[in-house]
Amino acid sequence: MSASSSLVADTVWKTIESTQSVTEEQLSILHFLFGKNLERATKIVDQRGVKKISGQPSGRSIFQVVGESRRKEEYFCFPEHYCACYSFFYDIVNRGEQLCCKHQLAARLAAALGAFIDVNVSDEQLALLLIKL
């Protein structure tokens, strides 16, 4: 993705975050930029497959996103930086073909819309989850 495409995507995400709603035009732009990964991400969000796990009292958080099959696969991710799924390492890190995976897009969309399941844990419990990454 070019720098200009990335800038367009960031602008769209910020607009969605500020209104906590998404328009058809915004979805169309994001689909143009992210393709099939956005389609899959919207499906995950629609099925309430995104959890935001927040440590208390710090407020630090990580997202846990279900796999598309909705079996027991769940991936920890930071929407803009990292996902524990295979695709993240194969398509993004190794091949550089994508900017992010569907789980990152699902987490980012859910965060922007407030459409996630909120889970509060102690900071110690959150630290134990992060150690597993």
Side-chain angles (χ1 to χ4, degrees):
M1 181 178 281
S2 70
S4 59
S5 296
S6 187
L7 184 61
V8 168
D10 285 343
T11 302
V12 172
W13 286 122
K14 286 179 180 143
T15 304
I16 294 169
E17 288 167 5
S18 70
T19 61
Q20 284 205 319
S21 65
V22 63
T23 65
E24 286 296 322
E25 181 182 6
Q26 291 164 332
L27 280 176
S28 179
I29 293 167
L30 293 174
H31 184 268
F32 178 78
L33 297 171
F34 298 108
K36 65 182 179 182
N37 279 348
L38 183 75
E39 292 172 27
R40 293 172 177 157
T42 57
K43 185 176 178 181
I44 291 169
V45 173
D46 287 345
Q47 294 173 345
R48 301 212 19 96
V50 179
K51 292 179 192 171
K52 180 180 180 185
I53 303 172
S54 301
Q56 300 301 321
S58 72
R60 291 182 180 97
S61 62
I62 189 169
F63 287 85
Q64 187 175 27
V65 182
V66 298
E68 205 173 3
S69 65
R70 292 200 51 91
R71 283 184 231 132
K72 291 202 176 212
E73 340 172 306
E74 293 183 315
Y75 303 100
F76 289 111
C77 70
F78 295 101
E80 297 179 45
H81 306 291
Y82 170 83
C83 185
C85 75
Y86 175 78
S87 177
F88 180 81
F89 290 100
Y90 186 70
D91 293 330
I92 296 152
V93 175
N94 288 340
R95 295 170 69 189
E97 291 181 355
Q98 302 285 332
L99 184 62
C100 54
C101 70
K102 64 187 168 211
H103 309 107
Q104 289 174 284
L105 286 171
R108 191 148 188 201
L109 183 60
L113 295 172
F116 51 82
I117 298 166
D118 211 358
V119 178
N120 291 310
V121 299
S122 69
D123 282 329
E124 291 80 12
Q125 290 171 306
L126 182 62
L128 291 173
L129 287 176
L130 294 174
I131 288 171
K132 296 176 185 176
L133 297 179

